[in-house]
Amino acid sequence: MLIGVPKEIKNHEYRVGLTPASVRELTSRGHGVIVQKNVGAEIGLLDQHYVDAGALLVASPEEIFSRADMIIKVKEPQPSECAMLREGQILYTYLHLAPDPEQTAALVKSGAICIAYETITGPGGGLPLLAPMSEVAGRMSVQAAASHLEKSKGGKGVLLGGVPGVAPAHVAIVGAGVVGTNALQMAVGMGARVTVLDKNVDRLRQLDMVYGNRISTVYSNAQSIEDAVVSADVVIGGVLVPGAAAPKLVTREMIARMAPGSVVVDVAIDQGGCFATSRATAHAAPTYLVDGVVHYCVANMPGAVARTSTFALNNATIGHALALAEKGWKQALSESVHLRNGLNVCRGRVTFEAVARDLNYEYVPAETLLN
């Protein structure tokens, strides 16, 4: 199979679909890899590294899309990239379709086989291809919040960890999954006062066993979310319904009751966001104000630490990339229910139920297309 790796074109996105080490895994098994020139130069992955791994350099994304059997990316294809996809071509990347009707329509029109990292499942449960970026984003969310609490960034002028004699900031974390757990780890480490909310009492019990009285664990409902949000200096949203639009758990009224200069970080923004006031931003202009509250809603947060993120992502994605290359998409998906769960759009049909429901498409189970 011929695999193509175009350079990412989303705002301040420097991650790369394949590292040179991943390229070597593919080329050593007889597959061809073409990469766009300077695809990883911004993060120290030089063209010569790719050539040494067996890749062929090409000048333009148009050549990659026209030649490759499978496109491996990081972020969802932008409109110009969707227009270059062709029928029967495999697209293997993050998609986040539920809150993005325009992209979904373009992928349906393309006739491509579109496999989303974020809905591929793992043998032990969970979402192993989403997890590494959730880890990065969870940790970054606290860094971002600490920075934007500074008065010069629009915040209330509060040091997250406080100092002796002055109370630390109160950080409320909505959702105790991968994002929430990593945010919790960073917030506790920086000395903040932390409240974490989740509906899974067993998960809260696990966190209590680890952190004890350094955190407050609270069962999540409308009242407890409101109480935590209005008293917090920082609110981090990390809720996830796999493949579906994120539920709006924090209302506009709650935001209006927060103190001016408070900060909210919506890590669920890739799936539409879990704050009613959220709208996607980019690294070039990451924040905006609603009722005096700073909103940080960058849709590709891990792109800011692109080298770390690229290697972490490749560790998770290369196994399925090899399966797709060696077996073809039909056999690979037939043999692995976990990879099959990643199929979101296939030959003009929407094959992920939550996406079909949220965007009013007919749902076509993947199994019917494989047969």
Side-chain angles (χ1 to χ4, degrees), residues 220-244:
S220 179
N221 56 39
Q223 185 63 55
S224 63
I225 291 174
E226 179 178 347
D227 292 343
V229 167
V230 299
S231 67
D233 301 294
V234 171
V235 182
I236 294 171
V239 299
L240 174 70
V241 179

Side-chain angles (χ1 to χ4, degrees), residues 155-224:
K156 59 170 60 173
V158 171
L159 182 65
L160 196 72
V163 293
V166 181
H170 177 206
V171 177
I173 301 172
V174 184
V178 177
V179 166
T181 300
N182 280 269
L184 169 64
Q185 180 181 346
M186 293 292 286
V188 169
M190 293 175 73
R193 178 167 70 90
V194 180
T195 300
V196 59
L197 302 100
D198 201 280
K199 283 186 172 295
N200 186 335
V201 177
D202 287 336
R203 181 64 188 141
L204 295 178
R205 187 174 291 114
Q206 291 169 352
L207 292 174
D208 181 75
M209 291 285 288
V210 174
Y211 292 97
N213 59 9
R214 289 183 291 170
I215 66 171
S216 297
T217 59
V218 178
Y219 181 80
S220 179
N221 56 39
Q223 185 63 55
S224 63

